[in-house]
Amino acid sequence: MKEERDAVILAHNYQIPAVQEIADRVGDSLELARAAAEFDAGVIVFCGVDFMAETAAILSPEKTVVLPAADACCPMAEMITAGEVRVLRERFPDAAVVAYVNTSAEVKAESDICCTSANAVAAVESLDAEEVIFLPDRNLGRYVARFTEKKILPWDGYCIVHNRMTADKVAAARRSHPDAGVLVHPECRPGVIDLADHVFSTSGMVRHACASPRREFVIGTEVGLLHQLEKKCPGKVFYPLSKQAVCVNMKKTDLAKVLAALERFEPRVTVPEETAARARTAIQRMLDLPR
């Protein structure tokens, strides 16, 4: 069906295993943003949440972008609006604005540069401003602040899944799995990050786990990543930091919805060009950062 419809399927690491298995590319937000622009197919079926499909539509306006689960949203992205960004700019006129890709197209359009968890520090360091408004994730903003001398002004948003993870859970995991390395996502709380062995984006976790001599790992992110870890790092054992670390919106996509999206090219995601043009500038600045 993909070949017949000139389509490519992109799937985030948090998708259900069945969807990951039929995707042309599985990855984190940065990898999928690059893939959306690089694939030649005329149709992009984006198995993720709304802001991801919007980003693909912004980068490839000539392509048809469909989101199989039309109601798959990101609660964190909804914690900041374009109007609030404009107010922040008025309040802090000398500050630059860095928008996590987990934001709407309208918010990206009000920002100087976008970032993902994999390149957030590089995005901040690429700016001339000494003050940086970082939105919407306060935890990622505080993590970035550890690696820059710039003053980070974090918005008070958060990922519902990662913010539920606690230092007590890390301590319990270490007691249960004393030989395991603890890898956590930078969307986690500072107390969780302090107790981890390493902090990575989802794809960074996969690369590290496969290359590491360790055989066991505790994984502090959404449980969907365990499928890629077990697939790409055979012979190693992975334990979720929390079995309740489930993004219900990421799990709304299934094979039936992907098939329907291929058959009908719906639900289609589009972004008005006036908004897309401004958002594209911020996204492209992110993509132009050194790899």
Side-chain angles (χ1 to χ4, degrees):
M1 179 69 74
K2 285 187 296 184
E3 293 175 1
E4 292 173 3
R5 305 294 273 167
D6 187 30
V8 63
I9 297 177
L10 307 181
H12 192 272
N13 285 315
Y14 297 159
Q15 292 289 296
I16 63 172
V19 169
Q20 293 187 37
E21 285 301 308
I22 53 90
D24 295 284
R25 184 75 55 84
V26 179
D28 59 21
S29 296
L30 180 58
E31 291 174 325
L32 298 180
R34 294 190 188 281
E38 293 170 358
F39 272 108
D40 291 332
V43 178
I44 298 172
V45 178
F46 215 118
C47 301
V49 292
D50 50 6
F51 76 81
M52 297 178 178
E54 276 190 342
T55 301
I58 290 166
L59 290 173
S60 303
E62 76 286 358
K63 298 179 182 179
T64 298
V65 179
V66 290
L67 181 67
D71 60 342
C73 64
C74 173
M76 177 167 62
E78 296 178 350
M79 294 178 185
I80 182 74
T81 66
E84 287 169 325
V85 180
R86 289 191 289 269
V87 171
L88 288 170
R89 282 196 176 277
E90 291 176 3
R91 188 174 299 173
F92 303 100
D94 296 327
V97 177
V98 176
Y100 198 15
V101 291
N102 300 45
T103 50
S104 68
E106 291 78 13
V107 167
K108 291 180 175 71
E110 298 293 336
S111 306
D112 294 298
I113 188 172
C114 292
C115 75
T116 69
S117 58
N119 63 13
V121 175
V124 167
E125 288 294 296
S126 73
L127 301 168
D128 293 331
E130 291 304 312
E131 285 190 336
V132 175
I133 298 166
F134 192 96
L135 48 92
D137 187 354
R138 66 191 182 206
N139 291 329
L140 181 57
R142 290 166 182 164
Y143 178 72
V144 169
R146 300 177 183 220
F147 303 97
T148 181
E149 295 183 0
K150 297 178 186 288
K151 183 178 181 180
I152 302 297
L153 307 172
W155 186 251
D156 198 26
Y158 57 91
C159 168
I160 293 172
V161 173
H162 288 102
N163 199 58
R164 286 185 185 138
M165 299 180 187
T166 64
D168 287 345
K169 290 185 183 295
V170 178
R174 286 200 182 279
R175 289 193 297 271
S176 298
H177 311 291
D179 296 328
V182 178
L183 311 182
V184 304
H185 196 279
E187 289 179 16
C188 290
R189 298 179 183 210
V192 171
I193 286 172
D194 290 341
L195 295 177
D197 293 309
H198 298 283
V199 182
F200 291 115
S201 69
T202 53
S203 291
M205 289 183 188
V206 175
R207 288 190 293 270
H208 175 84
C210 290
S212 172
R214 284 186 186 265
R215 309 303 297 174
E216 298 181 33
F217 295 90
V218 172
I219 303 299
T221 193
E222 210 272 353
V223 295
L225 183 64
L226 269 66
H227 179 70
Q228 284 298 307
L229 285 163
E230 292 166 354
K231 180 179 178 180
K232 293 185 176 180
C233 311
K236 298 193 176 186
V237 181
F238 301 96
Y239 311 100
L241 178 59
S242 171
K243 293 181 180 179
Q244 286 73 48
V246 177
C247 176
V248 295
N249 284 286
M250 281 288 190
K251 303 306 193 231
K252 288 180 177 179
T253 306
D254 57 26
L255 293 182
K257 290 178 181 176
V258 175
L259 180 59
L262 281 169
E263 291 174 338
R264 304 169 191 164
F265 291 166
E266 292 178 350
R268 185 170 180 180
V269 175
T270 60
V271 179
E273 182 53 29
E274 181 179 356
T275 299
R278 296 167 61 213
R280 192 176 297 122
T281 298
I283 298 168
Q284 192 58 52
R285 285 174 180 161
M286 173 188 75
L287 296 177
D288 289 341
L289 291 171
R291 299 200 185 198

